[in-house]
Amino acid sequence: MLSDRIKQARQRIGLSQQQIADKMGVSKTAVFKWECGHYEPKNLDILANILSVNLAWLREGRGKPFPTQTTGVPAVIDIAPYNQDETQVCLYPSIEMAGYAHSKQPYGQHCKKFSLSTELLARKKISPEMVVCFPVRDNSMDPIIPHGTIFAVDLNRTNIIDGNLYLIKQNHQYRIRKLYSMPYDEVRLHAYNKAEYQDEYVSVKHIVIVGRIFYYAVGL
């Protein structure tokens, strides 16, 4: 049943009914009713994306529930031979799962792996255990950073350096933004896609800086 599949997928990625409701722009009661089979969500495609599952499986139970390969993630991940010049770090299928991993310790118990330069990590003094990677799935950073780009975040770096990219949590949603410190404890949130995403000015108390993005890879 659709209700069972929604609940199964939600529990798999460790999100609460309230978190799903916030991402879908509905009430927690609505999500509760979906999982009880009282009625069906209208935007199953959006819900499937949030839950990181295949739409056909979510809608009808057809095929495999979880994608075998995340869109935009090179197929060589997880099968590349060991190279002492490279270090394996955690790769999550979505920004939500990477953000959720940030709230749980230890990191990386159940994650795919992505190779980063050992020299890069050493030069930037970044601990591999404090790195999470994920592909972007929205257009807020277009055209500079397209859909499918893989980001690497240093969870230890949460201080604001003007103009740097960060993974933040705002209103229960995880986002990628350039940050700028402003007077009176405000922060300017900037997206490259200015046509659709205007700059926001928010109190520093209203966001959580998960970590600083120090690397991204664009598949061609």
Side-chain angles (χ1 to χ4, degrees):
M1 294 179 62
L2 173 61
S3 56
D4 295 329
R5 293 191 291 274
I6 293 174
K7 184 175 182 179
Q8 175 188 344
R10 176 182 63 79
Q11 292 178 338
R12 175 181 178 268
I13 62 174
L15 293 180
S16 67
Q17 290 181 342
Q18 184 62 64
Q19 288 173 311
I20 295 296
D22 292 337
K23 295 177 185 300
M24 289 291 293
V26 299
S27 67
K28 179 182 177 181
T29 301
V31 178
F32 172 78
K33 290 182 177 179
W34 296 345
E35 295 188 355
C36 290
H38 293 169
Y39 67 86
E40 299 182 1
K42 295 180 179 179
N43 300 312
L44 276 178
D45 54 339
I46 297 176
L47 181 58
N49 185 53
I50 292 171
L51 295 173
S52 298
V53 297
N54 289 318
L55 179 58
W57 175 83
L58 184 63
R59 177 184 286 131
E60 303 170 7
R62 293 189 293 107
K64 295 182 179 180
F66 310 115
T68 55
Q69 181 181 323
T70 303
T71 301
V73 179
V76 296
I77 293 172
D78 276 350
I79 62 173
Y82 174 75
N83 185 332
Q84 64 180 359
D85 294 329
E86 297 180 341
T87 298
Q88 302 291 296
V89 296
C90 270
L91 173 69
Y92 294 93
S94 68
I95 192 172
E96 288 83 11
M97 291 189 71
Y100 178 74
H102 150 260
S103 65
K104 300 294 181 181
Q105 293 189 23
Y107 307 111
Q109 287 185 323
H110 306 288
C111 66
K112 289 186 177 182
K113 300 298 181 182
F114 183 71
S115 295
L116 287 176
S117 164
T118 300
E119 185 275 334
L120 171 69
L121 295 173
R123 175 162 44 86
K124 291 182 174 291
K125 299 180 180 179
I126 296 174
S127 170
E129 293 77 18
M130 297 301 290
V131 174
V132 294
C133 298
F134 58 89
V136 65
R137 289 185 172 182
D138 64 44
N139 67 344
S140 65
M141 305 310 281
D142 279 348
I144 307 300
I145 305 176
H147 176 96
T149 299
I150 297 176
F151 288 94
V153 179
D154 181 2
L155 301 175
N156 269 333
R157 302 292 201 277
T158 57
N159 59 305
I160 296 178
I161 298 178
D162 286 352
N164 277 210
L165 282 171
Y166 293 84
L167 171 60
I168 66 170
K169 186 177 183 182
Q170 180 189 18
N171 299 328
H172 305 290
Q173 289 186 318
Y174 292 98
R175 298 174 173 177
I176 299 164
R177 293 292 186 269
K178 292 181 75 171
L179 300 186
Y180 297 86
S181 295
M182 306 299 291
Y184 309 111
D185 290 328
E186 281 195 331
V187 180
R188 176 161 69 99
L189 313 182
H190 175 74
Y192 289 128
N193 185 354
K194 295 187 290 185
E196 297 184 47
Y197 300 87
Q198 299 299 313
D199 283 6
E200 298 179 69
Y201 294 81
V202 301
S203 168
V204 69
K205 298 178 182 179
H206 294 162
I207 64 170
V208 175
I209 301 176
V210 178
R212 187 187 307 162
I213 293 170
F214 66 92
Y215 170 94
Y216 61 85
V218 181
L220 299 177

